[in-house]
Amino acid sequence: MQLRRQQKANVNRGFTLLELLVVMVIIGLLAAYVGPKYFSQVGKSEVKMAQAQIDALEKALHQYRLDVGGYPATEQGLAALVTRPNNEPRWQGPYLAKMPPADPWGRPYIYKYPGERSEFDLLSLGKDGQPGGEGEAADIKNW
């Protein structure tokens, strides 16, 4: 009687190798299905963040123009929104709390005044860092 109890206890102690392999295969299949969907959402959120940052920088540039009478020169760049440019008595800034952030991919935004497509051009080259592109690699622009 005591021998049977010990045998039953040994049988119920843990999982077999086959059971563990089945569970690992199921987890692998779930990861293969969910992983790409998750990472595609990350890329979309980076694009949306870049668009939101460009919108905020545009608003700061418009406020600068209202105070000063024009946009900062390309050479002054977006830094003119934080620190007073030389010989600019009407500057009422700072127009941003801190230096403009880099785009979500770690590169600075490109600012040109006068712009080729609008009053000023403000853009990020996207994930690939190259002009043009499609999807997540597309340029994010203010025009």
Side-chain angles (χ1 to χ4, degrees):
M1 185 87 144
Q2 192 174 18
L3 183 60
R4 282 189 183 181
R5 284 186 200 163
Q6 283 180 346
Q7 286 175 342
K8 275 188 175 184
N10 288 340
V11 171
N12 294 329
R13 278 197 176 176
F15 297 106
T16 65
L17 180 60
L18 182 61
E19 291 170 329
L20 290 173
L21 288 174
V22 168
V23 169
M24 290 180 70
V25 166
I26 291 171
I27 290 172
L29 289 171
L30 286 172
Y33 178 73
V34 173
K37 292 182 183 280
Y38 171 75
F39 287 112
S40 71
Q41 296 300 320
V42 170
K44 288 178 187 176
S45 68
E46 288 173 333
V47 170
K48 288 181 181 179
M49 179 183 287
Q51 289 170 336
Q53 287 176 337
I54 285 177
D55 288 343
L57 291 171
E58 260 191 309
K59 289 175 182 159
L61 284 163
H62 291 311
Q63 185 63 45
Y64 180 98
R65 181 185 59 97
L66 288 173
D67 289 347
V68 174
Y71 294 105
T74 302
E75 297 78 32
Q76 294 170 320
L78 298 174
L81 299 173
V82 180
T83 58
R84 178 189 300 268
N86 293 337
N87 303 322
E88 194 52 69
R90 296 188 296 179
W91 190 82
Q92 299 293 314
Y95 302 96
L96 295 173
K98 56 185 178 179
M99 287 302 286
D103 69 11
W105 301 279
R107 292 181 292 275
Y109 286 99
I110 298 169
Y111 170 74
K112 295 178 187 173
Y113 177 76
E116 298 171 10
R117 307 280 171 111
S118 63
E119 290 181 286
F120 59 87
D121 293 348
L122 183 59
L123 68 136
S124 165
L125 295 177
K127 185 175 184 175
D128 64 353
Q130 301 296 319
E134 295 180 11
E136 294 174 24
D139 299 346
I140 297 105
K141 312 169 248 196
N142 70 319
W143 63 89

